Amino acid sequence: VRAELSARGGVLLCAMRRTEAVGYALTRANSLSLSVVRLFVPPSHRRKGVGRLLLSRALEAASSGRKQLCRLQVEESNSAAKALYMSTGFRQVDFLRDYYSVGRHALLMEHDLG
């Protein structure tokens, strides 16, 4: 996370419940787009709206920063994440064979912000 955050345009959003971190989103921006590099919610806090809130805040920040597009990759087998992304306006634009490792494919998804 530290290396990704130190990259140009890196931003970390953290969801807190009292004093406990219950999820985070790591994003990277350039002049026209935002990439969601990582969205993580521990299993004990899933299905409680934490991921949706983090994603929503990232999209709000991108829109207010005049970004035109938000991109992310999601593992093809991750049904819960795919459902979250599609329900918030993302669409699949590409299939990335063996993206994570041999046999572990990714979907490239985009959300138009303009």
Side-chain angles (χ1 to χ4, degrees):
V1 173
R2 182 176 295 160
E4 292 168 330
L5 187 56
S6 66
R8 187 175 188 181
V11 173
L12 180 67
L13 302 172
C14 189
M16 302 293 293
R17 182 160 290 135
R18 296 189 185 101
T19 60
E20 178 186 13
V22 295
Y24 70 90
L26 178 61
T27 65
R28 187 173 308 130
N30 63 36
S31 60
L32 297 176
S33 68
L34 178 81
S35 294
V36 177
V37 177
R38 191 173 296 168
L39 179 65
F40 176 75
V41 177
S44 61
H45 293 286
R46 292 181 186 161
R47 313 260 341 135
K48 297 177 182 177
V50 175
R52 184 174 300 278
L53 176 65
L54 286 164
L55 188 57
S56 174
R57 294 291 164 86
L59 292 172
E60 287 171 13
S63 292
S64 67
R66 301 184 188 261
K67 306 299 181 213
Q68 298 175 4
L69 184 69
C70 183
R71 289 187 175 131
L72 57 81
Q73 293 85 27
V74 61
E75 190 159 358
E76 179 189 33
S77 64
N78 191 338
S79 300
K82 290 189 306 186
L84 170 63
Y85 299 140
M86 287 191 263
S87 74
T88 56
F90 282 85
R91 68 188 188 295
Q92 180 183 337
V93 295
D94 203 356
F95 177 81
L96 308 171
R97 182 171 302 285
D98 300 328
Y99 182 80
Y100 297 103
S101 63
V102 175
R104 291 183 60 208
H105 315 300
L107 306 178
L108 176 61
M109 302 185 82
E110 292 182 349
H111 186 298
D112 290 318
L113 302 171

